[in-house]
Amino acid sequence: HERASGRKHDVVMWTRDTSIWLGDMPRPSQLVQAPGWDRTVMSRDCNSWRGINDRVVILGRQAAPTLFTLYSAYMRGGFPVRTTNSEEFLLAATKHSKTPLILDARPFEVLPEADGMWVDTA
């Protein structure tokens, strides 16, 4: 999308396909005003399982390449730290990033998202 539009994103987000938004998400224009935002990894401050909650993660421009290439890094092997779950893996990746990243865990009021589940009642 950046090549087609000729503009670079300041903020990117990943979210699970089961996420349900129960309120407004933060406005990107407000996020980018914070000092160091371009290196920020924002997530929910719950269910972090000794790492970074991976349901919704909002990233600054410089943080995005580290986290959006994790699958490739994992598949190549040789990751310098052993982890037991995806949340720990995210945290380890941020700590071993070539770019020093800022972790910013936020409460539900800032990232009002919950896990959804399909229940077949038929």
Side-chain angles (χ1 to χ4, degrees):
H1 182 73
E2 287 184 334
R3 275 190 216 131
S5 68
R7 296 173 45 196
K8 294 191 178 224
H9 299 297
D10 294 321
V11 177
V12 293
M13 179 178 78
W14 92 34
T15 184
R16 289 186 182 176
D17 60 354
T18 57
S19 291
I20 298 173
W21 286 90
L22 302 171
D24 294 334
M25 41 183 298
R27 293 184 180 275
S29 59
Q30 294 170 330
L31 295 175
V32 298
Q33 295 174 13
W37 171 255
D38 59 334
R39 297 179 292 112
T40 297
V41 177
M42 178 189 287
S43 65
R44 285 277 307 278
D45 66 352
C46 67
N47 298 328
S48 61
W49 302 101
R50 300 175 313 277
I52 296 173
N53 184 319
D54 64 346
R55 292 194 323 242
V56 172
V57 182
I58 300 176
L59 306 158
R61 172 110 190 128
Q62 299 219 6
T66 296
L67 274 71
F68 278 110
T69 58
L70 286 180
Y71 180 79
S72 298
Y74 177 79
M75 295 308 285
R76 278 193 308 270
F79 196 73
V81 176
R82 284 203 161 295
T83 60
T84 59
N85 59 42
S86 61
E87 293 84 0
E88 287 179 2
F89 186 69
L90 286 178
L91 181 60
T94 61
K95 288 182 176 181
H96 288 88
S97 173
K98 292 177 184 172
T99 302
L101 301 180
I102 300 166
L103 303 180
D104 184 9
R106 295 295 186 100
F108 176 83
E109 292 77 24
V110 176
L111 292 174
E113 174 274 341
D115 279 338
M117 181 186 303
W118 171 262
V119 177
D120 188 359
T121 59

